[in-house]
Amino acid sequence: MSETDAHTERDGATDVDAVVVGAGFSGLYMLHRLREQGFDVRVFEKGDDVGGTWYWNRYPGARCDSESHIYCYSFDEEIRQEWEWSERYPEQPEILSYLQFVADRLDLRRDIAFETEVTGATYDADAATWAVETADGERVTARFFIGAMGCLSEPFRPDFDGLDDFEGDWYHTARWPDEGVDLADEHVGVVGTGSTGIQFISETGGEADHLTVFQRTPNYAVPARNRPLEDDEYEEIRANYDEIWERARDSRLGMPFEHDHYSAASLSEEEIRETLEDRWQQGGFRFLHAFEPGHVLTNAEVNAVISEFIREKLRAKVDDPETAEKLVPTDHPYGAKRPPMDYNDYYRTYNRDDVSLVDVSDDGEPIERVTADGIRTTAGEYELDVLVYATGFDAMTGALLAIDIEGRDGLTLAEKWDAGPRTYLGLMTRGFPNLFTITGPQSPSVLTNMPLSIEQHVEWIADCIAYMDEHGHDAIEPTEAAETQWVTNTNMLADNMLFSEADSWYRGDNIPGKTSVFTPFPGGLDMYRDICDRVAGDDYDGFEFDQVADAPLAGQ
Ligand code: NAP
């Protein structure tokens, strides 16, 4: 039976062929790709427009750390030739416009239900279908249930006592109001100095009457060196796009940058520092690519030289030596936490009289509570009109687990992942047939340039679904053995890297009560792609297929 016949046979048995949750980079491409294959798809999106991460994160200074020419889709030649990025790193409004442009160009909106939150999904093993429920009480059945909600989309806000008493306004950066917030003349407090906090602080320092930063852990922010993209530069990118994408796909992080040396192990400290000096001027993730990033994250001695190099650079930017010491990370090696970028002279922001830093680590003055007037630490009270939580996300698993997902035999995803996620390839988890996760836990995802990882997953899933139809399969899920092996391999790779030397959201350490386990696949996008291709080429080795009596295709 042809793919189209199989598809037609199924019409009417379920409301749609696939339900996709989320209309960001992942959901939009998944919708397009499946529609191209003749499937009927419904996308549910909580926001009132497309964009995902770039719809929600509208805080001042929001910008992407991947360079714009590779922070986009590669699959459509017309789109990539027609769209033109204005700066080296794209700002949130520009990325949002890009995704709106793509949605319009591919006529995607007609299959997206906006302002619709998916609350539950239950697998019917007899029919090999999912019943998906929304907060409005709508119930939609589908053969495939596809999570495309992004890895950093479930905001985390620490539960400080007393927030209800606060007489000012408070915001989470990931839910920043569209109309903005007028911070002029206000005493603003911001909790958090991750990628988001650093962008927010350097953008708003000087705008508020006073900005107080509550920092628990400092970070290594390397200068991004943003600038407008010149016309001739852009022409060159366009002319060489195929080669650029090829290099990016064939790299660990999904970025097309060359290394000066693969390894620094045989270089003297002076030679390493010379290389770093040049890379410091190039800025952004090109700094991390001075050497192969996997090498930087496995060789403790080399990493120590790099970390110290950055510390010296950071100290030199801050006038007050005491403040400088607070801003310089010594608790973890560079790269063990996601390294932020500095777009706006972040460290020099602290040289301003209207910006102050409060160390709320255990060695400083931890936050005790929010009061009517501001924040009280163990050392005193800070008066605030506006309190900003730049406190991150329940990463990688939070958005999936926010949905009440029930698989085969009544097993819930929350139960199955209680001690950490268990997946095969980060694409599927046993006991939840026909549930795919785009950039799911234990795939390279957040360790890479996301659009590239997203495209790879979308294409793999779409090909897998086509294969199922060609072969008359109703259901797919990983075998127990393949899943166990994948979890073990992922953990083993992470254990051999420096990631364990930091408390980080990579491991879920930022969420009280969450099991600490390294969640992304750290072996690199290049290796991962090869594994996925081999699995697919080998008739989906490690997966098992099922034919189900009540399924629309039974007996075909
Ligand atoms: P994050 O990296 O998790 O940072 C959260 C911050 O809040 C940390 O400084 C954390 O301190 C602090 N915090 C959390 N709970 C706290 C508490 N109870 N008391 C005091 N401080 C507390 O979150 P994020 O900055 O939103 O970034 C998350 C990820 O999103 C990034 O790593 C990146 O992958 C992505 N992102 C990317 C960009 C970009 O591309 N430009 C921009 C923003 C975000 P500790 O470190 O001590 O936990």
Side-chain angles (χ1 to χ4, degrees):
M1 179 167 45
S2 77
E3 191 180 308
T4 319
D5 290 341
H7 172 63
T8 310
E9 285 292 325
R10 292 176 188 282
D11 281 352
T14 52
D15 297 318
V16 288
D17 296 307
V19 162
V20 175
V21 188
F25 267 101
S26 307
L28 292 179
Y29 185 34
M30 194 76 248
L31 166 60
H32 172 66
R33 186 71 190 224
L34 287 179
R35 232 165 52 176
E36 292 265 286
Q37 289 179 203
F39 289 96
D40 196 7
V41 184
R42 178 89 55 87
V43 178
F44 290 116
E45 166 56 54
K46 221 192 290 190
D48 66 8
D49 200 356
V50 299
T53 287
W54 303 104
Y55 170 92
W56 295 107
N57 286 272
R58 295 164 187 236
Y59 60 86
R63 195 181 279 280
C64 181
D65 293 343
S66 280
E67 296 193 18
S68 50
H69 70 287
I70 47 160
Y71 196 75
C72 47
Y73 295 117
S74 72
F75 69 85
D76 189 297
E77 174 66 10
E78 271 181 32
I79 288 175
R80 70 188 200 188
Q81 291 296 333
E82 199 170 316
W83 184 264
E84 187 158 324
W85 296 103
S86 63
E87 292 176 274
R88 180 174 173 191
Y89 302 92
E91 223 179 345
Q92 174 268 333
E94 197 171 16
I95 309 174
L96 186 57
S97 299
Y98 170 76
L99 290 170
Q100 289 165 338
F101 161 79
V102 172
D104 291 339
R105 169 57 60 95
L106 301 176
D107 188 21
L108 299 177
R109 290 175 200 271
R110 65 184 157 89
D111 288 322
I112 306 174
F114 292 105
E115 295 182 85
T116 308
E117 182 175 359
V118 172
T119 50
T122 307
Y123 185 65
D124 176 346
D126 293 332
T129 57
W130 283 91
V132 180
E133 279 169 40
T134 72
D136 305 337
E138 195 186 351
R139 191 169 177 279
V140 176
T141 54
R143 281 180 68 203
F144 298 101
F145 179 47
I146 303 177
M149 51 284 256
C151 299
L152 293 154
S153 47
E154 190 67 19
F156 165 67
R157 178 168 59 76
D159 192 14
F160 297 133
D161 282 345
L163 185 59
D164 287 346
D165 302 336
F166 184 53
E167 288 175 358
D169 297 318
W170 66 265
Y171 306 91
H172 191 290
T173 44
R175 292 292 179 271
W176 200 256
D178 189 20
E179 64 280 10
V181 180
D182 185 2
L183 300 176
D185 304 327
E186 306 285 17
H187 278 208
V188 179
V190 54
V191 181
T193 51
S195 297
T196 302
I198 284 174
Q199 289 183 329
F200 179 86
I201 293 158
S202 34
E203 187 74 15
T204 58
E207 181 187 333
D209 188 51
H210 194 93
L211 181 66
T212 306
V213 178
F214 298 90
Q215 172 193 269
R216 191 165 63 182
T217 316
N219 264 305
Y220 298 92
V222 168
R225 308 218 185 275
N226 189 35
R227 55 179 170 71
L229 282 172
E230 308 295 337
D231 285 350
D232 53 341
E233 200 176 359
Y234 211 85
E235 282 314 307
E236 200 180 322
I237 289 169
R238 278 208 180 103
N240 295 301
Y241 240 148
D242 283 337
E243 191 204 324
I244 291 171
W245 284 117
E246 213 38 57
R247 264 194 281 133
R249 284 193 193 99
D250 204 20
S251 71
R252 175 179 279 269
L253 305 187
M255 297 184 188
F257 308 138
E258 309 283 351
H259 320 303
D260 287 327
H261 308 271
Y262 185 88
S263 156
S266 60
L267 302 181
S268 68
E269 186 171 332
E270 202 184 329
E271 286 168 324
I272 297 176
R273 293 175 72 90
E274 258 171 41
T275 306
L276 294 176
E277 187 58 54
D278 178 47
R279 290 287 173 153
W280 186 261
Q281 299 312 322
Q282 293 181 32
F285 277 114
R286 290 176 197 246
F287 179 79
L288 177 60
H289 282 80
F291 311 104
E292 200 281 320
H295 170 67
V296 174
L297 287 165
T298 41
N299 188 315
E301 276 174 34
V302 167
N303 191 296
V305 176
I306 299 174
S307 300
E308 189 51 32
F309 174 91
I310 304 175
R311 287 187 202 111
E312 284 170 21
K313 292 283 190 194
L314 306 189
R315 280 190 194 104
K317 291 168 185 266
V318 185
D319 295 342
D320 172 37
E322 212 177 299
T323 307
E325 270 334 293
K326 286 184 191 162
L327 287 166
V328 167
T330 50
D331 67 310
H332 66 280
Y334 172 63
K337 291 169 92 153
R338 159 68 154 79
M341 299 292 161
D342 175 5
Y343 291 92
N344 232 347
D345 242 345
Y346 169 67
Y347 293 94
R348 290 202 172 91
T349 308
Y350 293 93
N351 296 337
R352 303 181 59 97
D353 291 338
D354 52 8
V355 176
S356 47
L357 179 68
V358 182
D359 171 10
V360 296
S361 70
D362 289 345
D363 297 334
E365 40 178 306
I367 293 173
E368 279 189 345
R369 59 173 296 129
V370 178
T371 65
D373 299 325
I375 280 189
R376 192 192 308 150
T377 69
T378 51
E381 186 158 348
Y382 296 86
E383 288 195 5
L384 305 172
D385 306 307
V386 177
L387 170 56
V388 177
Y389 287 87
T391 47
F393 302 88
D394 182 354
M396 312 280 306
T397 56
L400 264 172
L401 294 177
I403 300 173
D404 189 8
I405 298 177
E406 190 179 307
R408 208 165 7 84
D409 304 325
L411 179 70
T412 67
L413 193 61
E415 285 163 352
K416 172 153 185 191
W417 287 3
D418 185 42
R422 290 181 58 77
T423 75
Y424 180 39
L425 303 174
L427 278 158
M428 300 199 87
T429 184
R430 183 167 174 79
F432 298 80
N434 294 4
L435 162 61
F436 291 100
T437 51
I438 303 176
T439 64
Q442 290 151 359
S443 75
S445 63
V446 292
L447 298 178
T448 68
N449 175 35
M450 286 300 278
L452 233 76
S453 282
I454 287 168
E455 285 191 332
Q456 186 249 341
H457 262 196
V458 165
E459 287 160 15
W460 193 97
I461 293 166
D463 289 349
C464 176
I465 290 175
Y467 175 94
M468 287 174 70
D469 269 6
E470 270 166 35
H471 292 79
H473 298 312
D474 301 313
I476 177 173
E477 66 180 305
T479 65
E480 186 76 51
E483 183 170 289
T484 299
Q485 188 69 53
W486 187 253
V487 175
T488 307
N489 285 354
T490 302
N491 292 341
M492 223 166 59
L493 282 166
D495 288 346
N496 287 325
M497 301 178 84
L498 297 170
F499 292 118
S500 56
E501 295 193 21
D503 286 343
S504 72
W505 61 256
Y506 287 154
R507 315 169 59 85
D509 297 321
N510 60 329
I511 305 299
K514 193 169 177 178
T515 304
S516 177
V517 54
F518 192 79
T519 311
F521 172 78
L525 183 60
D526 43 359
M527 180 206 284
Y528 177 79
R529 286 186 87 86
D530 288 348
I531 295 170
C532 289
D533 289 351
R534 185 192 49 73
V535 165
D538 216 356
D539 287 323
Y540 295 87
D541 185 26
F543 289 94
E544 60 192 31
F545 294 100
D546 202 4
Q547 284 189 338
V548 173
D550 294 346
L553 256 189
Q556 299 286 326

